[in-house]
């Protein structure tokens, strides 16, 4: 199911993971252990495609990395230590959003089933961000189980849960294993790992230092099995008789009540067979009375502490980065090699049908369109339920009405008709305000998702960077269409009331404004993708806006200055400002809208076509750059 070979991840000069060979078999629960900073989370992020490995290879569900998210992600469920939830969604809406993204059959039934399973049904309409941490953890597990995945990757799934919640998770894991799911489980609660896992691997310093069955990993640390026997009426003859047995490797005597001959014998035996019956008969024959007999074993917690303590000193000596496959050699205190990972062999590449989802030969385009539509619908509803579009629309309408009244006053004073379309200037101002709102919204959207952590959670689902950004673009364009429609209705009502004629230029101007709005959104998405948070995104947007304004105003001011001396520095400054303004005009959607509307007013068909083509090219180019940036720099906070 999961296999890595020589996997490594380096941050600067520090190796977080190095030379990792990991195999998770189909149908097992694999406990992935390690102290803080061992590289567990980094490894899981590489397995999920969130982080790119520096070295090595990964194979997951029969597919080599990098995998197609539309093929692999529908078969994987992920729970992280901290759940990143959307601020605007209730628990029910949260599950339904991901159910649509995964195309879960009967999503309402499945969501209800999981909410009931985790005792969250009565809180289904409560905003998910208002849940307690334990409830959020349960909700995250419900999201991961929605589509009945073949592989579950769980990083600290019981973090923040009370004992009842921990028991619920334990039962759910058992149910999923019975269903046939494979579970990769990372946790610091070793008692839970010991109860649920089949095999464990222990990571230290980015290296796998031990891997074995849970029942055997402790036994492999002992020189031989031990049997503790509480004996009454202990005699020297009895002790000598036990010591001389061929299967006894050694014995320690701990006297509990020497005056009464009571003691505990710790007998180390070979592991060839069960020697308890022979020891019992031997004690009885020599006059002893066995009170209790037990066979202690090294717990997983003890094994973890011993293994990590033995190897940490050796790892600390390796101060240089790994340059070859061998790396620093780890040894145990007795000089022997560490517990070597078992060779599980390669998993067969058998692709199973997706459980709980619509199977079939849907094309990649259709899968991507579905993801785009799901993201777009979520964002569009969120935008339309906020006050921003309506405040911007009201402001744009007020400005447009004021400008139209100015046109009417000019007609009455001069008693002549204006030569240009009376609605062109109000349309330009209203659409510019709408585009400014869209620019701010697009700048905030990706940066906010990254800052809140919802961006990373989203990319565990079947979606890629292009579909995510196109969904954001579609939602904001939908918002603009609603605003443009309202502005058009306002102009129609105003024309009917005042007698002003709406010329044939209004529709071309609206089409141009739509394309420039799309380019504006794409520019905002690029700036947002390049930012790690809201503050840096708005700072970057402000810097770009100031640059455009400075270029425009400096060009306007300097172009009106007459310079007599051809060698004057002012002349060079003027020419430079004009060139910079023209160059930036090719990438500024606002400048394209201005030149396009001017071309419409002048009936310049070629100029209008150029503006329309330029805004389309701007949108495509900026969106492609945003997609590439997001893919290269990742989706983590």
């Amino acid at each position: 199911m999961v296999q890595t070979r020589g996997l490594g991840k380096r941050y600067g000069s520090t190796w977080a993971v190095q030379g990792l060979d990991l195999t998770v078999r189909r149908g097992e629960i694999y406990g992935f252990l390690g102290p803080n900073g061992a590289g567990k989370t980094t490894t899981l992020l590489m397995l999920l495609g969130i982080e790119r490995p520096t070295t090595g290879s990964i194979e997951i569900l029969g597919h080599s990395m990098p995998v197609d998210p539309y093929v692999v992600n529908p078969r994987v469920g992920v729970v992280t230590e901290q759940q990143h939830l959307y601020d605007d969604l209730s628990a029910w809406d949260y599950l339904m959003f991901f159910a649509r993204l995964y195309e879960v059959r009967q999503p309402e039934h499945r969501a209800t089933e999981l909410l009931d399973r985790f005792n969250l049904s009565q809180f289904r309409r409560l905003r998910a961000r208002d849940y307690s941490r334990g409830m959020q953890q349960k909700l995250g597990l419900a999201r991961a189980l929605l589509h009945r995945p073949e592989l579950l990757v769980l990083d600290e799934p019981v973090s923040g849960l009370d004992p009842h919640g921990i028991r619920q998770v334990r039962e759910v894991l058992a149910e999923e294993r019975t269903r046939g799911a494979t579970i990769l489980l990372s946790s610091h609660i070793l008692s839970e790992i010991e109860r649920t896992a089949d095999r464990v691997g222990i990571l230290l310093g980015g290296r796998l230092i031990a891997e074995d069955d849970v029942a055997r990993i402790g036994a492999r640390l002992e020189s031989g099995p031990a049997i503790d026997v509480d004996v009454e009426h202990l005699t020297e003859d009895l002790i000598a008789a036990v010591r001389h047995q061929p299967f006894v490797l050694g014995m320690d005597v701990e006297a509990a009540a020497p005056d009464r001959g009571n003691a505990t014998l710790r007998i180390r035996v070979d592991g060839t067979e069960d020697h308890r019956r022979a020891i019992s008969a031997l004690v009885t024959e020599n006059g002893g009375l066995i009170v209790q007999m037990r066979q202690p074993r090294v717990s997983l917690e003890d094994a973890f502490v011993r293994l990590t303590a033995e190897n940490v000193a050796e790892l600390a000596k390796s101060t240089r980065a790994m340059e070859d496959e061998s790396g620093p050699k780890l040894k145990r205190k007795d000089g022997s090699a560490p517990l070597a990972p078992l060779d599980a062999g390669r998993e067969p590449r058998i692709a199973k049908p997706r459980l709980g989802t619509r199977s079939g030969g849907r094309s990649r385009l259709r899968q991507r369109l579905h993801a785009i539509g799901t993201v777009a619908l979520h964002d569009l509803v969120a935008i339309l339920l906020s006050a921003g579009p309506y405040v911007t629309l009201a402001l744009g309408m007020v400005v447009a009405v004021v400008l139209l009244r100015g046109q009417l006053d000019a007609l009455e004073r001069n008693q002549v008709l204006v030569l240009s379309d009376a609605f062109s200037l109000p349309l330009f101002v209203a659409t510019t305000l709408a585009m400014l709102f869209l620019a701010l919204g697009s700048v905030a959207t990706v940066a906010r998702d990254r800052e809140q952590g919802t961006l990373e959670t989203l990319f565990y689902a079947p979606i890629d960077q292009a579909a995510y950004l196109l969904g954001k673009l579609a939602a904001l364009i939908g918002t603009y269409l609603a605003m443009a429609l309202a502005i058009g209705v306002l102009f129609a009502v105003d024309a009917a009331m005042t007698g002003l004629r709406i010329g044939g230029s209004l529709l071309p101007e609206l089409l141009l404004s739509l394309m420039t709005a799309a380019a504006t959104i794409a520019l905002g998405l690029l700036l947002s993708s390049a930012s790690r948070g809201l503050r840096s995104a708005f700072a970057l947007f402000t810097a770009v806006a100031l640059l455009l304004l400075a270029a425009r105003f400096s060009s306007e001011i300097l172009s009106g200055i007459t310079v007599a001396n051809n060698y004057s520095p002012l002349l060079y400054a003027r020419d430079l400002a004009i060139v910079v303004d023209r160059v930036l005009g090719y990438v500024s959607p606002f400048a394209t809208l201005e030149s396009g509307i001017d071309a419409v007013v002048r009936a310049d068909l070629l100029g209008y076509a150029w503006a329309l083509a330029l805004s389309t090219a701007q949108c495509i180019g900026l969106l492609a750059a945003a997609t590439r940036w997001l893919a290269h720099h990742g989706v983590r906070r």
Side-chain angles (χ1 to χ4, degrees), residues 5 7 12 70 72 128 140 166 201 219 222 245 292 297 310 313 352 432 443 463 485-486 510 526 592 594 633:
R5 287 292 176 264
L7 188 64
Y70 297 104
V72 172
I166 293 175
E222 295 287 354
Q245 296 301 311
Q292 185 178 14
R297 65 183 181 88
E310 289 174 4
K352 289 189 175 183
T432 299
V443 164
I463 192 171
L485 178 62
L510 284 174
L526 174 60
T592 305
E594 181 184 2
H633 291 276

Side-chain angles (χ1 to χ4, degrees), residues 13 37 44 70 107 125 145 175 234 257 344 419 423 478 496 526 535 591 621:
S13 61
L44 297 181
Y70 297 104
R125 295 300 177 186
L145 296 173
E175 293 168 3
L234 181 65
L419 296 178
F423 291 94
L526 174 60
R535 289 185 178 180

